[in-house]
Amino acid sequence: MARFGRLVTAMVTPFNDQLQVDYEKTEHLIDHLIATGSEGIVISGTTGESPTLSGAEKLALFKHAVMYAKGKCHIIAGTGSNDTAASIEFTQAAQSVGVDAVMLVAPYYSRPSQEGLYAHFKALADSTDLPVMLYNVPGRSAVNITAQTTLRLAELPNVVCVKEASGNLAQMAQIIEHAPEGFELYSGDDSLTLPTLSIGGVGIVSVASHVVGRQMTDMINAFLAGNHADAASLHRKLMPVFEGLFAYPSPGPTKVALEKLGIEVGGVRLPLVELNEQEKAFVHSLLV
């Protein structure tokens, strides 16, 4: 089914020279992503430097993206945090500007129990009419949404999919096997795109698609057409890009790669810092 498409990009946030959100660059980036295969775009996820964007900046980005790209691709707003009440308020604000769905990250830092995770996500889902994408990323949030908790949440009418960045294929397989009809699983790791498809996942919420979107689309289409050897070959060839874009703190490498391709997106906000010349040279080498 792939409600939001097979290839969804967790978009970087373009900045100007003063590290303020640049809306003209954002439009150019959206055009680039759509042209290279992205069927959905996540605005203000981790790759979008959400921790350093104010609420007002995020809402303005959501609104602009909806106005610019509505009908061309799905716009998914990253509205989750570790504050349930604040996340509810922000999710409702995002709904008011017309986004297609929201992505809700596991509450970071707080490390709630599984019951706490369920109550948090249920409260958020109950507060909106929008489709909800859960986002499990224990490497950043310090808490894993277990398969059992994901499956409980999947019973809620508007919890429609999960971005699984746990790296745990066994957990992912359990979710896919036991999920109610219509609930979908996306890989949250580019390097697991093909393995996830092979066990029944529907696609990828990607970072690498900023720079290899066409190749990833070819790989996904090859797999879906039954050309598994071709898909595997493409996946192997893309692995250096999948891994290299995380050789240094993300999204620094992705922004450098985009600049190399002629897509201007500016720098990164502190506490992230610009890549040095040696690091930039490594990123450039991935694109050869």
Side-chain angles (χ1 to χ4, degrees):
M1 179 179 168
R3 175 188 293 263
F4 302 120
R6 301 284 182 180
L7 182 63
V8 178
T9 297
M11 192 183 80
V12 303
T13 299
F15 296 134
N16 61 22
D17 292 342
Q18 289 74 47
L19 294 180
Q20 299 302 307
V21 177
D22 190 312
Y23 294 102
E24 184 176 355
K25 289 178 181 176
T26 298
E27 292 177 1
H28 292 161
L29 179 56
I30 290 172
D31 287 340
H32 164 74
L33 294 176
I34 293 171
T36 54
S38 293
E39 299 169 85
I41 295 175
V42 174
I43 308 288
S44 185
T46 309
T47 307
E49 297 177 71
S50 58
T52 66
L53 295 175
S54 70
E57 286 177 319
K58 292 176 184 179
L59 278 176
L61 260 175
F62 299 158
K63 185 175 183 179
H64 195 86
V66 166
M67 291 174 59
Y68 188 73
K70 191 72 169 179
K72 301 176 186 176
C73 69
H74 303 281
I75 298 298
I76 305 165
T79 61
S81 74
N82 61 348
D83 181 338
T84 306
S87 296
I88 288 172
E89 182 178 356
F90 193 53
T91 296
Q92 292 172 341
Q95 178 171 330
S96 73
V97 301
V99 301
D100 296 304
V102 291
M103 185 180 75
L104 304 177
V105 69
Y108 41 84
Y109 188 73
S110 303
R111 300 181 69 183
S113 66
Q114 293 301 308
E115 192 59 35
L117 287 170
Y118 177 80
H120 169 83
F121 286 120
K122 184 178 186 301
L124 280 163
D126 287 347
S127 75
T128 181
D129 298 324
L130 290 172
V132 169
M133 173 186 285
L134 305 173
Y135 179 20
N136 187 32
V137 58
R140 290 186 181 273
S141 65
V143 62
N144 177 50
I145 310 172
T146 65
Q148 291 81 1
T149 299
T150 298
L151 291 167
R152 282 182 73 194
L153 290 163
E155 297 293 338
L156 300 175
N158 60 331
V159 176
V160 299
C161 61
V162 61
K163 175 186 176 183
E164 256 291 338
S166 65
N168 186 336
L169 281 170
Q171 175 167 296
M172 295 161 75
Q174 187 176 355
I175 293 168
I176 294 165
E177 179 67 18
H178 299 288
E181 185 177 357
F183 185 82
E184 300 173 334
L185 184 142
Y186 287 84
S187 172
D189 296 300
D190 284 306
S191 61
L192 292 180
T193 303
L194 193 55
T196 300
L197 290 171
S198 75
I199 62 170
V202 299
I204 173 71
V205 180
S206 174
V207 174
S209 52
H210 283 91
V211 294
V212 288
R214 289 188 179 92
Q215 297 94 313
M216 294 184 74
T217 298
D218 289 344
M219 177 185 68
I220 292 167
N221 288 341
F223 176 83
L224 295 174
N227 300 323
H228 296 162
D230 290 344
S233 176
L234 283 166
H235 199 271
R236 292 192 300 269
K237 290 175 181 176
L238 290 170
M239 279 299 293
V241 178
F242 294 161
E243 295 179 343
L245 291 179
F246 287 88
Y248 313 109
S250 181
T254 301
K255 286 193 162 184
V256 166
L258 282 165
E259 294 283 350
K260 180 67 172 177
L261 296 178
I263 311 296
E264 296 184 8
V265 291
V268 292
R269 287 179 173 177
L270 289 170
L272 301 179
V273 295
E274 300 294 325
L275 273 60
N276 63 36
E277 292 307 310
Q278 181 178 354
E279 292 165 343
K280 288 180 180 179
F282 168 76
V283 173
H284 292 168
S285 74
L286 300 173
L287 305 177
V288 175

